Amino acid sequence: MTVKVKLVNRRRSTFLDRLYFPAIFKGLGITFRRMFKKKVTMQFPEERWSVREQYRGMPVLVSDDEGRPKCVACSLCEYVCPPKAIYIVPQELEEGNKVERGPAVFDLNMLRCIYCGLCEEACPEEAIFMSQNYMVWGADRGDMIFHKEKLYELGGVRTEGVKKWKDK
Amino acid sequence: MIPPTNSAPPVAVQFPPKELKKECEDILSRYPTRMAACLPILLLAQKHYDNWVSPEVEAGVAEYLGVSDSHIRGLLTFYAMYNAKPAGRHEVWVCRTLTCMLRGAGKLRDTALGCAKAKTTGEVGEDGKFLVKDMECLGLCEVAPAVFVDGEAHVDVTPEKLTELMEACD
Amino acid sequence: MASKRDKDGRYPETKILSKNFGVKDSWTLKVAKKNGAYKNLEKALKMAPADIIEEVKTSRVRGRGGAGFPTGVKWGFVPTESDKPKYLVLNADESEPGTFKDRYLMELDPHLVLEGCLICAYACGLSTIYIYVRGEYPKSQERLWGAIEEARKAGILGKSVMGSDFACEAYVHTGAGAYICGEETGMLESLEGKRGHPRIKPPFPAVEGAFGCPTVINNVETLAHVPCIIENGGQWFADMGIQPDPDNPRAMGSSGTKLMGLSGDIKTPGVWEFEFGITLRELIEQYGEGALDGRKVKAVIPGGLSMPVLTADELDVPMGFDALVKVGSGLGTATAIVMDDSRDMVEVCENIAHFFADESCGQCTPCREGCHWMEKIFARIQGGEGTPADLDLLERLFINIEGRTICALADAAVWPLRSIIRKFRHEFLAKMPGHEDAPASTETAGVGAS
Amino acid sequence: MGDAVNTIFINGTEYPFKPGQTVIQVAQENGIDIQHYCYHPGLSIAGNCRICMIEVEGNPQPQISCKLDCAPPPWIKEPLRVQTESEVAKQGREGTMEMLLVNHPLDCPICDQAGECHLQDYSYEVGQGQASTTTAKTKLPKNVPFGSKIVYDAERCIKCTLCVRFCEEITETNELSMQGRGDEEMVVMTSKGEFDTPYSMNIIDICPVGALTSRDFRFKSRLWFMDFANSIDTSSAKGVNIVTGGRNGTFLRIEPRYNASINDWWMADEGRVAYKYVNSPSRLETALVRDADGQFRVANWEDAISAAAEALRSNPGDILLDGGCTLEEMVLAKDLAGAMGKNAKFAAATGEGDGWLVTEEKGANAKGAELLEVARAKRAQAASVLVIEREEHVNASMREKSGAVVVFATDGEHVPESAEVVFPLPSWAEREGTLVNIDGLAQWMERNPAIGPNNLPVFVEILEDLIGELDDDYAWRGADGVRAEIAALPAFAKVALPWQTETPVGAGS
């Protein structure tokens, strides 16, 4: 098959075009008009976007109002997680803890997480939440696996919700 | 309720002691199995050892009757008349069932607790003198309200009479 | 039956079982013998065992412990061909609240009780009698032991009962405080030194009872009737009381006499013996002399704690097994608990629920969990936090508890509570802020509101 | 009597029954599932859970099916008609379920039983989905040790008394009893010593809820992550039927499996914890060949097999097998020895037995070896090939004295000094094959793919490859060929081999 070539005749630039000044002024005009309008650029990270309440940012673990970690390592989030981003090793907690079970290891692989929110939905203890945190970063792949301590730090304290073990 | 523990097993007392030997053998002779003697022998043991069955006594009785000590523990916590916890020097039973309640057992209970310096029934008072127990019907309904002090029935009891009775105990 | 009343309209007492009540030292063998004790045993020992059972069957005497099972039929169940030893367990664990009739018999006429036991043992070929007395009756135990010792010395008990070749031993077994041990199989477990968990039936105790052997279990009062049946014949006994209804095979009649008692808010509480047929109102007004302090009777539980309650309008019912069932209650132990019009029925319910929750043995799920649940609900209503929905919940719980357990304790818990809720619903609603005028629910509408 | 009723209508279908059978037994035999907690076919009937309610036609109240005799009362000449799914039956079960859940804690997220919990299953089926009470639940002790192997939780307990009855009727040791009454009832253990009898852990299996859990398996894994396989206990020669459970290569749990002719529903605790060595950190995962300077280096299978064949050619000797090797493996080992002109022997420990499920003979296939005429090794047995899985069968001094050059071992620690070539041996849970128990019953052992390191070679294939290297005329038979050969052996004429019978011997519910 032969290739057909169609020649397009371009208009030659006029004198005015070749002077450039009208275009420069036209451009400067736009710039000038913009100077009086609201700025759209944000000074990240000093300035941050605020997100809606239902925004699904990275999943985090929370503590109850007594500062006690809520997760009991039931592994339902691990089971339900579609990209298998969660890895839990349960352990028996010592006498004195209100619940006898908690996670020894709770790893969340943020390279895998797809922010679907199923972990939050599956959690019977209301211990894992989709936070509004969208700044997930790490210097290497290992950094992107968030451990229990970091997840609790990010999650902070939540006072509302189930308090099943309060009187135990 | 006594939560079972895995602490060192209690040292069984030598049961029966000399004083009870004849009586225990007499009881055993009445039944075809040794287990059947559990109830009367436990009552006997309780009376003999400061009005309660300690884990040591429990183990001793279990050994004597050839049953498991968990079985004895089961009996102690099933029947209302046994004490599996240290009881005071005197035991006061206040009937709380309907007829006695109608006739004012509630006041008697409060009076008894007051005299015993105890917060609730089933607990020995501060001075360790009285154990006040809520009992279900004592079968003295026609002369309600009824109170037992140290196994002796007192009927038509008023709070004043009960105070008198309890103060008479040393 | 009007003929039984005297010209003043008073229903007379009958003194058969209670003939020795009030006699000085009636519990000693000497006094008892003078009053004819063991005479009937002597007579019975000359009869054939089968004839005795036949005589008891003729008398139509029904169990006095509450269930009202024909005693003669029960004795007939004991297998005659059995090489195992056979036992008689006398149910003297009178733990039904409001009941104290057996205590009178055991304390005031222990020899009559023993005589009844021995006749039964002879008739059914039983070798050992265990009298299971509740631990709360120290005096009864003492009197029974005394009677047994005396009888043994006099040759009435032992290797040769009154010189015959019938051997029988009797012992008192002491309970230790458990309502459930009044249930016959619970009592057997307790007798065997176990926790009083009722057994699942069949096998029935007559075939496999105490220590795995055939066992007859009877109430104290039932067996106390036996000597006089032997003395005067079964027909004499059957002629007393209320005759069976020929049209209704379930109405087996209530023959003979019965110890009836009154307690609670009553002027003169006590125990009397009557032929069956006295109405509850006559009992309360003629013998109990009405409610305490001149108040009005509001509600009566006719037999022990575990029967449905009757309101003041329903008292004209003759005391008898079938008649009380007909009005939706039961004879039970025929010892009525009377409540006057100052009583708070919610409080009464709470007390009853607490009793059954406390005494539930913990074996079957519906009773173990349900009784405590009911107690919590009543406590909630009493605390002013109830809602009409709680009453519907209770009605649902009653369905799920009644008849769903091994023994009848759960039924016994349901009956009084259900009847009180249905008959005094307004009192419950009055305790529910904002619901005082709530309509009766569909489930309970129209059921015997007073 | 003559024409006694011997059939029963369940849900409108007529089924025959044997005298003395109860409704639940006949229903189960015919595949009708009736929910139950306190009923266990191996124990006496308590009838206290009240969940197995069915409707008996003509009776307005539901009845419990576990104690209901199929035979109607003698005065009724008609067969009993019962309904398991009617409104009355369902209402009965619902009512009981509601009661069971009143005081049951919401422990499922922390409870090991979750996933195999009857309370969970049945409440899903007949539960209301919503609590009708807001009152506080009864508080009872949690986390109570029952000896060193079992943890008891009184709040989760539904008081079915299966464990108490087990101790009364099966072990007859009576360590357990009920304590308290009403809703404070709970199981209590003897204070005399420890509840560590050789069969104590069976109460964990029979517990229908999570009230009794294993200290060993406690919080190790959720059930739904695990894979299970029907296997045979190899810690003794009784051939107890078990289920192995593992996840991601880790062996997590052993539970007994019903077999009426061997172990019923039970197994000894000894066998239940006899898996720990499978998870050893020093498990071998690759073939090792000793190089010129005496160090082991990792080799691929082809190199390792040719190195092994070389070593055996220059060093022919007997083969010393572990007493737990399967029939198939023993046959091939015999052939390998034959290719060298030598014999195969097996080594197995002996120990204490209890006359029931723990035998004195500890070699799981000792009887099979006898049938295959594989002799028991002497204490000091010279060998050129050593197959060692369990330390106790071939102990350290036996290994060193054998002078074996080719070693199959699960654990690197078990390799003797003399080894030239080392193959990683999959543990028994990772192999499949046939074992003959001490009573001569042949049983199939299933492989659990979730246990052990990945990509381990199949032991019988390596053996065949080795024979092929040594014997140029060898015709590969495969495991199936070996099994056909075993079936043809006169010694096995009277042994029912599991792969021959349609329903494998010992399969049960």
Side-chain angles (χ1 to χ4, degrees), chain B residues 30-31 71 74 79-81 96 102-103 137 139 142, chain C residues 103-104 130 134 173 176-177 193-195 264 266 343:
Chain B
R30 295 176 203 158
Y31 304 102
H71 178 82
Y79 295 102
M81 283 168 64
R96 58 158 302 287
L102 295 173
R103 288 301 189 92
C137 187
E142 85 280 27
Chain C
R103 195 184 80 235
Y104 274 76
Y130 290 110
R134 64 186 307 211
H173 181 90
K194 299 176 192 159
R195 295 154 59 80
I266 194 87
R343 293 301 168 191

PDB file of all heavy atoms in Angstrom, chain B residues 30-31 71 74 79-81 96 102-103 137 139 142, chain C residues 103-104 130 134 173 176-177 193-195 264 266 343:
ATOM      1  N   ARG B  30     -24.653 -45.962 105.452  1.00  0.00           N
ATOM      2  CA  ARG B  30     -26.053 -45.860 105.044  1.00  0.00           C
ATOM      3  C   ARG B  30     -26.251 -45.970 103.541  1.00  0.00           C
ATOM      4  O   ARG B  30     -27.345 -46.195 103.071  1.00  0.00           O
ATOM      5  CB  ARG B  30     -26.616 -44.495 105.462  1.00  0.00           C
ATOM      6  CG  ARG B  30     -26.685 -44.302 106.945  1.00  0.00           C
ATOM      7  CD  ARG B  30     -27.165 -42.884 107.219  1.00  0.00           C
ATOM      8  NE  ARG B  30     -26.741 -42.460 108.534  1.00  0.00           N
ATOM      9  CZ  ARG B  30     -26.633 -41.193 108.912  1.00  0.00           C
ATOM     10  NH1 ARG B  30     -26.910 -40.229 108.050  1.00  0.00           N
ATOM     11  NH2 ARG B  30     -26.258 -40.873 110.114  1.00  0.00           N
ATOM     12  N   TYR B  31     -25.175 -45.727 102.772  1.00  0.00           N
ATOM     13  CA  TYR B  31     -25.362 -45.601 101.326  1.00  0.00           C
ATOM     14  C   TYR B  31     -24.597 -46.677 100.576  1.00  0.00           C
ATOM     15  O   TYR B  31     -23.544 -47.118 101.020  1.00  0.00           O
ATOM     16  CB  TYR B  31     -24.887 -44.227 100.849  1.00  0.00           C
ATOM     17  CG  TYR B  31     -25.554 -43.089 101.558  1.00  0.00           C
ATOM     18  CD1 TYR B  31     -24.900 -42.390 102.571  1.00  0.00           C
ATOM     19  CD2 TYR B  31     -26.851 -42.723 101.225  1.00  0.00           C
ATOM     20  CE1 TYR B  31     -25.517 -41.345 103.227  1.00  0.00           C
ATOM     21  CE2 TYR B  31     -27.467 -41.676 101.882  1.00  0.00           C
ATOM     22  CZ  TYR B  31     -26.802 -40.983 102.879  1.00  0.00           C
ATOM     23  OH  TYR B  31     -27.424 -39.961 103.525  1.00  0.00           O
ATOM     24  N   HIS B  71     -15.425 -32.019  92.114  1.00  0.00           N
ATOM     25  CA  HIS B  71     -16.798 -32.430  92.396  1.00  0.00           C
ATOM     26  C   HIS B  71     -17.269 -31.802  93.711  1.00  0.00           C
ATOM     27  O   HIS B  71     -18.371 -31.274  93.810  1.00  0.00           O
ATOM     28  CB  HIS B  71     -16.867 -33.952  92.472  1.00  0.00           C
ATOM     29  CG  HIS B  71     -18.232 -34.480  92.815  1.00  0.00           C
ATOM     30  ND1 HIS B  71     -19.206 -34.634  91.869  1.00  0.00           N
ATOM     31  CD2 HIS B  71     -18.775 -34.857  93.992  1.00  0.00           C
ATOM     32  CE1 HIS B  71     -20.303 -35.099  92.459  1.00  0.00           C
ATOM     33  NE2 HIS B  71     -20.068 -35.241  93.742  1.00  0.00           N
ATOM     34  N   GLY B  74     -17.932 -28.259  93.210  1.00  0.00           N
ATOM     35  CA  GLY B  74     -19.224 -28.130  92.550  1.00  0.00           C
ATOM     36  C   GLY B  74     -20.369 -28.197  93.541  1.00  0.00           C
ATOM     37  O   GLY B  74     -21.317 -27.419  93.467  1.00  0.00           O
ATOM     38  N   TYR B  79     -25.054 -25.867  96.590  1.00  0.00           N
ATOM     39  CA  TYR B  79     -25.980 -25.864  97.716  1.00  0.00           C
ATOM     40  C   TYR B  79     -25.758 -24.630  98.578  1.00  0.00           C
ATOM     41  O   TYR B  79     -24.627 -24.269  98.891  1.00  0.00           O
ATOM     42  CB  TYR B  79     -25.799 -27.143  98.536  1.00  0.00           C
ATOM     43  CG  TYR B  79     -26.189 -28.374  97.761  1.00  0.00           C
ATOM     44  CD1 TYR B  79     -25.231 -29.200  97.193  1.00  0.00           C
ATOM     45  CD2 TYR B  79     -27.517 -28.691  97.561  1.00  0.00           C
ATOM     46  CE1 TYR B  79     -25.585 -30.323  96.457  1.00  0.00           C
ATOM     47  CE2 TYR B  79     -27.884 -29.805  96.820  1.00  0.00           C
ATOM     48  CZ  TYR B  79     -26.920 -30.610  96.279  1.00  0.00           C
ATOM     49  OH  TYR B  79     -27.281 -31.703  95.548  1.00  0.00           O
ATOM     50  N   ALA B  80     -26.875 -24.027  98.948  1.00  0.00           N
ATOM     51  CA  ALA B  80     -26.793 -22.723  99.612  1.00  0.00           C
ATOM     52  C   ALA B  80     -26.227 -22.804 101.020  1.00  0.00           C
ATOM     53  O   ALA B  80     -25.743 -21.821 101.558  1.00  0.00           O
ATOM     54  CB  ALA B  80     -28.187 -22.098  99.651  1.00  0.00           C
ATOM     55  N   MET B  81     -26.298 -23.986 101.622  1.00  0.00           N
ATOM     56  CA  MET B  81     -25.910 -24.039 103.029  1.00  0.00           C
ATOM     57  C   MET B  81     -24.412 -24.195 103.272  1.00  0.00           C
ATOM     58  O   MET B  81     -23.948 -24.121 104.397  1.00  0.00           O
ATOM     59  CB  MET B  81     -26.671 -25.172 103.727  1.00  0.00           C
ATOM     60  CG  MET B  81     -28.112 -24.785 104.031  1.00  0.00           C
ATOM     61  SD  MET B  81     -29.114 -26.160 104.511  1.00  0.00           S
ATOM     62  CE  MET B  81     -28.334 -26.635 106.022  1.00  0.00           C
ATOM     63  N   ARG B  96     -35.746 -14.423 102.201  1.00  0.00           N
ATOM     64  CA  ARG B  96     -36.126 -13.281 101.376  1.00  0.00           C
ATOM     65  C   ARG B  96     -37.259 -13.623 100.394  1.00  0.00           C
ATOM     66  O   ARG B  96     -37.608 -12.844  99.532  1.00  0.00           O
ATOM     67  CB  ARG B  96     -34.933 -12.742 100.590  1.00  0.00           C
ATOM     68  CG  ARG B  96     -34.275 -13.742  99.678  1.00  0.00           C
ATOM     69  CD  ARG B  96     -33.495 -13.101  98.581  1.00  0.00           C
ATOM     70  NE  ARG B  96     -34.322 -12.242  97.787  1.00  0.00           N
ATOM     71  CZ  ARG B  96     -35.235 -12.647  96.912  1.00  0.00           C
ATOM     72  NH1 ARG B  96     -35.444 -13.929  96.740  1.00  0.00           N
ATOM     73  NH2 ARG B  96     -35.941 -11.779  96.213  1.00  0.00           N
ATOM     74  N   LEU B 102     -43.322 -10.256 102.210  1.00  0.00           N
ATOM     75  CA  LEU B 102     -44.585  -9.565 102.509  1.00  0.00           C
ATOM     76  C   LEU B 102     -44.627  -9.163 103.978  1.00  0.00           C
ATOM     77  O   LEU B 102     -45.174  -8.131 104.338  1.00  0.00           O
ATOM     78  CB  LEU B 102     -45.775 -10.481 102.179  1.00  0.00           C
ATOM     79  CG  LEU B 102     -45.978 -10.871 100.723  1.00  0.00           C
ATOM     80  CD1 LEU B 102     -47.074 -11.905 100.599  1.00  0.00           C
ATOM     81  CD2 LEU B 102     -46.306  -9.655  99.862  1.00  0.00           C
ATOM     82  N   ARG B 103     -44.023  -9.989 104.796  1.00  0.00           N
ATOM     83  CA  ARG B 103     -44.078  -9.735 106.236  1.00  0.00           C
ATOM     84  C   ARG B 103     -42.891  -8.916 106.738  1.00  0.00           C
ATOM     85  O   ARG B 103     -42.638  -8.845 107.927  1.00  0.00           O
ATOM     86  CB  ARG B 103     -44.138 -11.071 106.990  1.00  0.00           C
ATOM     87  CG  ARG B 103     -45.479 -11.788 106.862  1.00  0.00           C
ATOM     88  CD  ARG B 103     -46.593 -10.901 107.387  1.00  0.00           C
ATOM     89  NE  ARG B 103     -47.879 -11.563 107.509  1.00  0.00           N
ATOM     90  CZ  ARG B 103     -48.323 -12.176 108.600  1.00  0.00           C
ATOM     91  NH1 ARG B 103     -47.606 -12.270 109.667  1.00  0.00           N
ATOM     92  NH2 ARG B 103     -49.521 -12.706 108.619  1.00  0.00           N
ATOM     93  N   CYS B 137     -36.731 -19.465 100.533  1.00  0.00           N
ATOM     94  CA  CYS B 137     -37.707 -19.952 101.511  1.00  0.00           C
ATOM     95  C   CYS B 137     -37.155 -20.957 102.532  1.00  0.00           C
ATOM     96  O   CYS B 137     -36.614 -21.990 102.195  1.00  0.00           O
ATOM     97  CB  CYS B 137     -38.882 -20.590 100.794  1.00  0.00           C
ATOM     98  SG  CYS B 137     -40.197 -21.024 101.917  1.00  0.00           S
ATOM     99  N   GLY B 139     -39.127 -22.300 104.790  1.00  0.00           N
ATOM    100  CA  GLY B 139     -40.222 -23.198 105.154  1.00  0.00           C
ATOM    101  C   GLY B 139     -40.908 -22.823 106.452  1.00  0.00           C
ATOM    102  O   GLY B 139     -41.515 -23.652 107.098  1.00  0.00           O
ATOM    103  N   GLU B 142     -45.735 -19.696 107.768  1.00  0.00           N
ATOM    104  CA  GLU B 142     -46.892 -19.307 108.566  1.00  0.00           C
ATOM    105  C   GLU B 142     -46.465 -18.441 109.735  1.00  0.00           C
ATOM    106  O   GLU B 142     -47.300 -17.785 110.358  1.00  0.00           O
ATOM    107  CB  GLU B 142     -47.671 -20.556 109.016  1.00  0.00           C
ATOM    108  CG  GLU B 142     -47.182 -21.245 110.282  1.00  0.00           C
ATOM    109  CD  GLU B 142     -45.972 -22.143 110.060  1.00  0.00           C
ATOM    110  OE1 GLU B 142     -45.206 -21.883 109.122  1.00  0.00           O
ATOM    111  OE2 GLU B 142     -45.792 -23.086 110.850  1.00  0.00           O
TER     112      GLU B 142
ATOM    113  N   ARG C 103     -43.718 -30.163 107.164  1.00  0.00           N
ATOM    114  CA  ARG C 103     -42.953 -29.920 108.383  1.00  0.00           C
ATOM    115  C   ARG C 103     -43.802 -30.274 109.603  1.00  0.00           C
ATOM    116  O   ARG C 103     -43.318 -30.894 110.547  1.00  0.00           O
ATOM    117  CB  ARG C 103     -42.527 -28.453 108.448  1.00  0.00           C
ATOM    118  CG  ARG C 103     -41.443 -28.196 109.462  1.00  0.00           C
ATOM    119  CD  ARG C 103     -41.102 -26.742 109.570  1.00  0.00           C
ATOM    120  NE  ARG C 103     -42.068 -26.047 110.395  1.00  0.00           N
ATOM    121  CZ  ARG C 103     -42.758 -24.983 110.012  1.00  0.00           C
ATOM    122  NH1 ARG C 103     -42.605 -24.473 108.823  1.00  0.00           N
ATOM    123  NH2 ARG C 103     -43.614 -24.424 110.826  1.00  0.00           N
ATOM    124  N   TYR C 104     -45.090 -29.913 109.552  1.00  0.00           N
ATOM    125  CA  TYR C 104     -45.986 -30.256 110.661  1.00  0.00           C
ATOM    126  C   TYR C 104     -46.035 -31.764 110.847  1.00  0.00           C
ATOM    127  O   TYR C 104     -45.930 -32.264 111.962  1.00  0.00           O
ATOM    128  CB  TYR C 104     -47.394 -29.719 110.376  1.00  0.00           C
ATOM    129  CG  TYR C 104     -47.588 -28.287 110.816  1.00  0.00           C
ATOM    130  CD1 TYR C 104     -47.056 -27.244 110.085  1.00  0.00           C
ATOM    131  CD2 TYR C 104     -48.278 -27.992 111.981  1.00  0.00           C
ATOM    132  CE1 TYR C 104     -47.220 -25.938 110.489  1.00  0.00           C
ATOM    133  CE2 TYR C 104     -48.452 -26.687 112.400  1.00  0.00           C
ATOM    134  CZ  TYR C 104     -47.920 -25.648 111.652  1.00  0.00           C
ATOM    135  OH  TYR C 104     -48.091 -24.360 112.057  1.00  0.00           O
ATOM    136  N   TYR C 130     -34.941 -43.793 102.156  1.00  0.00           N
ATOM    137  CA  TYR C 130     -34.188 -42.574 102.405  1.00  0.00           C
ATOM    138  C   TYR C 130     -35.195 -41.444 102.535  1.00  0.00           C
ATOM    139  O   TYR C 130     -36.022 -41.229 101.643  1.00  0.00           O
ATOM    140  CB  TYR C 130     -33.229 -42.267 101.257  1.00  0.00           C
ATOM    141  CG  TYR C 130     -32.084 -43.236 101.170  1.00  0.00           C
ATOM    142  CD1 TYR C 130     -32.000 -44.150 100.134  1.00  0.00           C
ATOM    143  CD2 TYR C 130     -31.084 -43.238 102.149  1.00  0.00           C
ATOM    144  CE1 TYR C 130     -30.955 -45.043 100.066  1.00  0.00           C
ATOM    145  CE2 TYR C 130     -30.032 -44.132 102.081  1.00  0.00           C
ATOM    146  CZ  TYR C 130     -29.971 -45.035 101.040  1.00  0.00           C
ATOM    147  OH  TYR C 130     -28.937 -45.910 100.978  1.00  0.00           O
ATOM    148  N   ARG C 134     -34.991 -31.456 103.776  1.00  0.00           N
ATOM    149  CA  ARG C 134     -34.191 -30.281 103.441  1.00  0.00           C
ATOM    150  C   ARG C 134     -33.374 -29.829 104.646  1.00  0.00           C
ATOM    151  O   ARG C 134     -33.777 -29.997 105.804  1.00  0.00           O
ATOM    152  CB  ARG C 134     -35.090 -29.162 102.936  1.00  0.00           C
ATOM    153  CG  ARG C 134     -36.078 -28.642 103.944  1.00  0.00           C
ATOM    154  CD  ARG C 134     -37.016 -27.649 103.323  1.00  0.00           C
ATOM    155  NE  ARG C 134     -36.262 -26.593 102.650  1.00  0.00           N
ATOM    156  CZ  ARG C 134     -36.686 -25.340 102.539  1.00  0.00           C
ATOM    157  NH1 ARG C 134     -37.832 -24.978 103.064  1.00  0.00           N
ATOM    158  NH2 ARG C 134     -35.968 -24.439 101.916  1.00  0.00           N
ATOM    159  N   HIS C 173     -31.733 -38.418 105.045  1.00  0.00           N
ATOM    160  CA  HIS C 173     -30.669 -37.792 104.254  1.00  0.00           C
ATOM    161  C   HIS C 173     -30.907 -36.294 104.281  1.00  0.00           C
ATOM    162  O   HIS C 173     -32.009 -35.828 104.009  1.00  0.00           O
ATOM    163  CB  HIS C 173     -30.696 -38.309 102.817  1.00  0.00           C
ATOM    164  CG  HIS C 173     -29.613 -37.735 101.961  1.00  0.00           C
ATOM    165  ND1 HIS C 173     -28.386 -38.322 101.844  1.00  0.00           N
ATOM    166  CD2 HIS C 173     -29.585 -36.618 101.204  1.00  0.00           C
ATOM    167  CE1 HIS C 173     -27.632 -37.596 101.033  1.00  0.00           C
ATOM    168  NE2 HIS C 173     -28.334 -36.558 100.631  1.00  0.00           N
ATOM    169  N   ALA C 176     -29.001 -29.683 101.459  1.00  0.00           N
ATOM    170  CA  ALA C 176     -28.121 -28.595 101.860  1.00  0.00           C
ATOM    171  C   ALA C 176     -28.534 -27.269 101.239  1.00  0.00           C
ATOM    172  O   ALA C 176     -27.714 -26.403 101.017  1.00  0.00           O
ATOM    173  CB  ALA C 176     -26.678 -28.929 101.503  1.00  0.00           C
ATOM    174  N   GLY C 177     -29.815 -27.141 100.959  1.00  0.00           N
ATOM    175  CA  GLY C 177     -30.271 -25.845 100.491  1.00  0.00           C
ATOM    176  C   GLY C 177     -30.304 -25.707  98.994  1.00  0.00           C
ATOM    177  O   GLY C 177     -29.442 -25.060  98.418  1.00  0.00           O
ATOM    178  N   GLY C 193     -25.151 -37.795  96.048  1.00  0.00           N
ATOM    179  CA  GLY C 193     -23.989 -36.967  96.363  1.00  0.00           C
ATOM    180  C   GLY C 193     -23.531 -36.111  95.222  1.00  0.00           C
ATOM    181  O   GLY C 193     -22.380 -35.724  95.146  1.00  0.00           O
ATOM    182  N   LYS C 194     -24.461 -35.824  94.301  1.00  0.00           N
ATOM    183  CA  LYS C 194     -24.084 -34.983  93.162  1.00  0.00           C
ATOM    184  C   LYS C 194     -24.818 -33.654  93.246  1.00  0.00           C
ATOM    185  O   LYS C 194     -25.630 -33.433  94.143  1.00  0.00           O
ATOM    186  CB  LYS C 194     -24.446 -35.687  91.857  1.00  0.00           C
ATOM    187  CG  LYS C 194     -23.727 -37.002  91.696  1.00  0.00           C
ATOM    188  CD  LYS C 194     -24.202 -37.700  90.442  1.00  0.00           C
ATOM    189  CE  LYS C 194     -23.713 -39.124  90.418  1.00  0.00           C
ATOM    190  NZ  LYS C 194     -24.507 -39.946  89.526  1.00  0.00           N
ATOM    191  N   ARG C 195     -24.538 -32.801  92.283  1.00  0.00           N
ATOM    192  CA  ARG C 195     -25.290 -31.561  92.184  1.00  0.00           C
ATOM    193  C   ARG C 195     -26.710 -31.905  91.749  1.00  0.00           C
ATOM    194  O   ARG C 195     -26.910 -32.783  90.927  1.00  0.00           O
ATOM    195  CB  ARG C 195     -24.641 -30.643  91.157  1.00  0.00           C
ATOM    196  CG  ARG C 195     -23.257 -30.176  91.563  1.00  0.00           C
ATOM    197  CD  ARG C 195     -22.400 -29.840  90.376  1.00  0.00           C
ATOM    198  NE  ARG C 195     -23.008 -28.803  89.567  1.00  0.00           N
ATOM    199  CZ  ARG C 195     -22.965 -27.508  89.845  1.00  0.00           C
ATOM    200  NH1 ARG C 195     -22.335 -27.107  90.914  1.00  0.00           N
ATOM    201  NH2 ARG C 195     -23.509 -26.626  89.064  1.00  0.00           N
ATOM    202  N   GLY C 264     -48.671 -15.322 104.319  1.00  0.00           N
ATOM    203  CA  GLY C 264     -48.670 -14.021 103.675  1.00  0.00           C
ATOM    204  C   GLY C 264     -49.491 -13.025 104.465  1.00  0.00           C
ATOM    205  O   GLY C 264     -49.502 -13.055 105.699  1.00  0.00           O
ATOM    206  N   ILE C 266     -52.206 -12.486 105.907  1.00  0.00           N
ATOM    207  CA  ILE C 266     -53.410 -13.132 106.414  1.00  0.00           C
ATOM    208  C   ILE C 266     -53.404 -13.009 107.927  1.00  0.00           C
ATOM    209  O   ILE C 266     -52.354 -13.043 108.552  1.00  0.00           O
ATOM    210  CB  ILE C 266     -53.456 -14.597 105.922  1.00  0.00           C
ATOM    211  CG1 ILE C 266     -54.818 -15.239 106.121  1.00  0.00           C
ATOM    212  CG2 ILE C 266     -52.391 -15.449 106.559  1.00  0.00           C
ATOM    213  CD1 ILE C 266     -55.744 -14.988 104.978  1.00  0.00           C
ATOM    214  N   ARG C 343     -50.302  -4.276  98.276  1.00  0.00           N
ATOM    215  CA  ARG C 343     -49.091  -4.847  97.684  1.00  0.00           C
ATOM    216  C   ARG C 343     -48.835  -4.367  96.261  1.00  0.00           C
ATOM    217  O   ARG C 343     -49.753  -4.226  95.469  1.00  0.00           O
ATOM    218  CB  ARG C 343     -49.208  -6.376  97.682  1.00  0.00           C
ATOM    219  CG  ARG C 343     -49.195  -6.978  99.047  1.00  0.00           C
ATOM    220  CD  ARG C 343     -47.923  -6.622  99.802  1.00  0.00           C
ATOM    221  NE  ARG C 343     -48.050  -6.975 101.214  1.00  0.00           N
ATOM    222  CZ  ARG C 343     -47.194  -6.592 102.132  1.00  0.00           C
ATOM    223  NH1 ARG C 343     -46.165  -5.840 101.821  1.00  0.00           N
ATOM    224  NH2 ARG C 343     -47.379  -6.951 103.382  1.00  0.00           N
TER     225      ARG C 343
END
